[in-house]
C-alpha cells in the first residue's frame, strides 16, 4: 500500500463522525495505513469568545449562513500543496462511482461541511477546488454527505477491501449494475438459487452473470447503457 490518503473533515458537528470513522471498513483502512483522518471542529477557527461561525444573510431571509472567516482560516491551517478542498453542497457536481475513483487516487482531501441555510458564496468561489452533491435532495448538514463520499472513495484504495478485487465487481464499475447474488440455503422457502450457480462450471457462471448484469441494467438503469 502506498502513502496514506490524508482526509480532513471540517464540521461544526465532529461527534457525528465518531461512530462512522471508528468502525468497519474505514477503521480497518486507517489501521492498515491506507488513510489518515483528521476531524476538525470549525468553531476552533472562530475568532471571538463565543466561537461564532454563522451569521444572518445579507439582504434578509430565513436561517443562518456559515461565515467565510472560520472556513478560510481552517483550510489555510490544514492545506498542503496537493490538497483538494471539497465543499459539500446540493448545488455541486453530482457524486458517482467515477468521482469516487478519482478521489481515491488523491493525496489530500479537505471536506467542508455546511449547515443551516448554507455557506457564504465566497467559500465556493475562492476556497474550494471542488463542489460535490450526493444527490438531488437537501440534507440538514454536509457532515453526513461528506461521510458518504469518504466511504465510497476509501473502499476503492487498492488493498483496503479484504478480498482483493471485490470492489471491481460492484455495480457501476464497468458501467452496469451487478448481477444477482445468492448465498445458502440453495432452497429458501421454495425460492431456488439458479442451477448454473451450483454447477461448478465457472465459464457458464461468468456468462450467466454477464447476461444478468446486462438484463438488470436494461430494466433498472437503461441510462447507464446509453
Ligand atoms: N440552502 C442550501 C441550498 O438550497 O443549496 C441548502 C443548505 S443545507 C440545509 C445545509 C448544508 O447541508 C449545505 O451547506 C451542504 O453542506 C449540506 N448538504 C445538504 N444537501 C446536500 C447534498 N445533497 N449534497 C451535499 N451536501 C448537502
Amino acid at each position: 500500500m502506498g502513502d496514506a490518503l490524508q482526509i480532513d473533515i471540517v464540521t461544526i458537528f465532529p461527534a457525528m463522525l465518531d461512530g462512522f470513522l471508528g468502525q468497519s471498513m474505514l477503521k480497518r483502512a486507517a489501521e492498515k495505513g491506507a488513510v489518515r483522518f483528521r476531524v476538525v471542529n470549525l468553531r476552533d477557527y472562530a475568532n471571538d469568545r463565543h466561537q461564532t461561525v454563522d451569521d444572518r444573510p445579507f439582504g434578509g431571509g430565513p436561517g443562518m449562513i456559515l461565515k467565510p472567516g472560520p472556513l478560510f482560516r481552517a483550510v489555510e491551517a490544514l492545506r498542503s500543496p496537493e490538497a483538494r478542498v471539497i465543499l459539500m453542497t446540493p448545488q455541486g457536481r453530482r457524486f458517482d462511482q467515477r468521482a469516487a475513483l478519482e478521489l481515491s487516487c488523491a493525496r489530500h482531501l479537505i471536506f467542508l461541511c455546511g449547515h443551516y441555510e448554507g455557506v457564504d458564496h465566497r467559500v465556493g468561489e475562492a476556497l474550494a477546488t471542488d463542489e460535490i452533491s450526493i444527490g438531488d435532495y437537501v440534507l440538514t448538514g454536509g457532515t453526513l454527505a461528506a461521510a458518504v463520499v469518504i466511504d465510497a472513495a476509501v473502499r476503492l484504495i487498492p488493498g483496503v477491501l479484504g478480498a482483493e478485487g471485490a470492489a471491481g465487481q460492484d455495480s457501476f464499475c464497468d458501467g452496469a449494475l451487478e448481477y444477482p447474488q445468492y448465498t445458502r440455503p440453495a432452497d429458501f422457502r421454495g425460492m431456488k438459487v439458479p442451477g448454473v450457480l451450483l454447477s461448478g462450471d465457472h465459464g457458464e457462471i461468468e456468462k450467466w452473470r454477464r447476461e444478468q448484469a446486462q438484463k438488470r441494467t436494461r430494466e433498472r438503469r437503461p441510462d447507464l447503457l446509453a
Side-chain angles (χ1 to χ4, degrees):
M1 209 170 285
D3 290 344
L5 165 58
Q6 176 71 43
I7 298 184
D8 302 332
I9 308 146
V10 181
T11 169
I12 55 171
F13 291 109
M16 281 179 76
L17 292 163
D18 287 349
F20 176 70
L21 297 179
Q23 291 182 56
S24 184
M25 178 276 298
L26 292 172
K27 179 180 181 213
R28 289 197 306 275
E31 285 169 354
K32 285 180 179 174
V35 67
R36 234 181 357 251
F37 295 113
R38 198 158 42 173
V39 178
V40 176
N41 190 339
L42 181 63
R43 293 193 190 281
D44 291 344
Y45 291 91
N47 58 4
D48 66 326
R49 213 157 48 86
H50 303 289
Q51 296 190 295
T52 310
V53 293
D54 58 322
D55 209 335
R56 287 189 300 275
F58 277 123
M64 301 295 273
I65 306 295
L66 286 186
K67 293 158 67 68
L71 284 161
F72 271 74
R73 284 192 290 277
V75 169
E76 282 154 7
L78 300 168
R79 196 157 49 186
S80 63
E82 65 258 86
R84 285 175 70 167
V85 180
I86 300 169
L87 176 63
M88 299 311 302
T89 164
Q91 302 181 24
R93 171 163 74 115
R94 182 100 62 89
F95 189 62
D96 60 14
Q97 190 70 11
R98 187 178 304 175
L101 186 61
E102 191 192 310
L103 295 182
S104 75
C105 302
R107 310 281 351 116
H108 185 185
L109 304 173
I110 303 175
F111 288 89
L112 305 181
C113 308
H115 211 80
Y116 310 118
E117 276 308 302
V119 175
D120 186 287
H121 183 65
R122 291 163 288 191
V123 171
E125 220 173 31
L127 187 64
T129 58
D130 302 77
E131 297 189 28
I132 293 183
S133 163
I134 62 163
D136 289 347
Y137 42 82
V138 177
L139 299 165
T140 308
T143 310
L144 188 56
V148 167
V149 172
I150 290 165
D151 185 296
V154 171
R155 68 195 296 283
L156 296 178
I157 298 173
V160 163
L161 291 187
E164 202 58 64
Q169 286 158 25
D170 282 338
S171 294
F172 311 113
C173 274
D174 58 1
L177 301 181
E178 194 184 50
Y179 46 81
Q181 296 269 33
Y182 297 87
T183 185
R184 278 185 286 215
D187 182 341
F188 177 67
R189 298 185 180 179
M191 294 179 277
K192 294 191 174 54
V193 171
V196 62
L197 296 179
L198 311 175
S199 69
D201 183 336
H202 293 293
E204 281 303 306
I205 291 172
E206 267 315 299
K207 183 163 162 270
W208 181 86
R209 284 180 165 169
R210 266 196 313 276
E211 286 165 3
Q212 290 294 317
Q214 289 294 311
K215 180 168 174 281
R216 266 196 171 191
T217 311
R218 254 194 323 276
E219 287 167 2
R220 299 182 182 200
R221 291 293 305 275
D223 56 300
L224 293 176
L225 299 172

